[in-house]
Amino acid sequence: MALDLQPAELDPANRAYFDKCLEKIGFVPNVLQAYSFDMAKLTAFAAMYNDLMLAPSGLSKLEREMIAVVVSSINRCYYCLTAHGAAVRQLSGDPILGEQMVMNYRAARLDPRRRAMLDFAAKLTERPNEIEEEDRAALAAVGFSPRDVWDIGAVVGFFNMSNRIASATDMRPNEAYHAQARTPKT
């Protein structure tokens, strides 16, 4: 990271969170390390991320990761494209899909539901002032509930914010992400 912000001493809750990351994925994501200069900011970031990306939702974990990648692709966020591109590869078992999401989601052969979701995410990122009822109606037409639309909007908003913080600070992804899930699941 380009900013010289020294990590604070982790409080017990965040120490446990970092330990859980080490246990589950083998490293602490650099985004968490970047936020560790301020326990309140780290706690808020982690809570919002975990709620949006891991809590029960009408959106699958893969769909939420796909949204993260589409938003990050539009914003050209190196950190999030690398980290969440790896998550798409891992969750889908399809390294090609992960690359398509990073490069241009429109190249992927997606079902109408996911295509509508990602078209909405792209428009909300690029032209939020143009979102109208017809955009929400297009999501409803492919089976998204009002709560799902909320969740799509929340994930889009979160990653637009995260992309800007990552760009402002020159946040770099952990090298481990680059090699993850590069071969198809058999």
Side-chain angles (χ1 to χ4, degrees):
M1 185 170 75
L3 303 180
D4 185 21
L5 298 171
Q6 296 305 308
E9 185 174 333
L10 294 174
D11 59 29
N14 282 308
R15 167 55 46 214
Y17 187 49
F18 277 35
D19 290 345
K20 188 172 188 173
C21 289
L22 287 169
E23 175 189 320
K24 289 186 93 167
I25 62 172
F27 60 91
V28 176
N30 285 343
V31 66
L32 298 177
Q33 299 280 10
Y35 273 90
S36 70
F37 75 96
D38 184 312
M39 288 304 102
K41 286 178 179 32
L42 173 60
T43 299
F45 175 86
M48 182 64 99
Y49 174 87
N50 288 328
D51 180 66
L52 292 174
M53 301 302 285
L54 303 173
S57 171
L59 307 177
S60 70
K61 290 178 183 172
L62 174 59
E63 288 169 336
R64 290 178 267 184
E65 291 291 350
M66 291 169 85
I67 293 168
V69 173
V70 166
V71 169
S72 300
S73 179
I74 291 165
N75 291 326
R76 297 185 177 119
C77 178
Y78 173 57
Y79 184 101
C80 290
L81 283 171
T82 304
H84 298 283
V88 168
R89 292 191 306 269
Q90 183 176 21
L91 290 168
S92 69
D94 183 351
I96 294 171
L97 177 63
E99 294 304 305
Q100 289 170 327
M101 290 291 105
V102 166
M103 304 277 184
N104 176 5
Y105 76 95
R106 292 173 182 96
R109 301 214 189 309
L110 301 171
D111 63 53
R113 181 178 188 274
R114 286 184 172 161
R115 179 59 191 258
M117 174 189 76
L118 297 177
D119 286 345
F120 184 86
K123 184 174 181 180
L124 187 56
T125 297
E126 295 172 319
R127 303 178 320 279
N129 61 307
E130 294 179 18
I131 295 291
E132 296 180 329
E133 186 53 39
E134 68 187 39
D135 300 298
R136 289 180 289 277
L139 292 173
V142 293
F144 287 105
S145 71
R147 171 59 195 262
D148 296 337
V149 175
W150 174 276
D151 288 353
I152 292 167
V155 173
V156 169
F158 180 83
F159 280 97
N160 273 291
M161 187 247 354
S162 293
N163 292 170
R164 282 152 179 79
I165 295 294
S167 293
T169 64
D170 192 28
M171 196 179 297
R172 296 296 170 134
N174 302 70
E175 288 187 17
Y177 288 124
H178 292 285
Q180 290 179 333
R182 291 288 179 181
T183 57
K185 288 182 184 175
T186 53

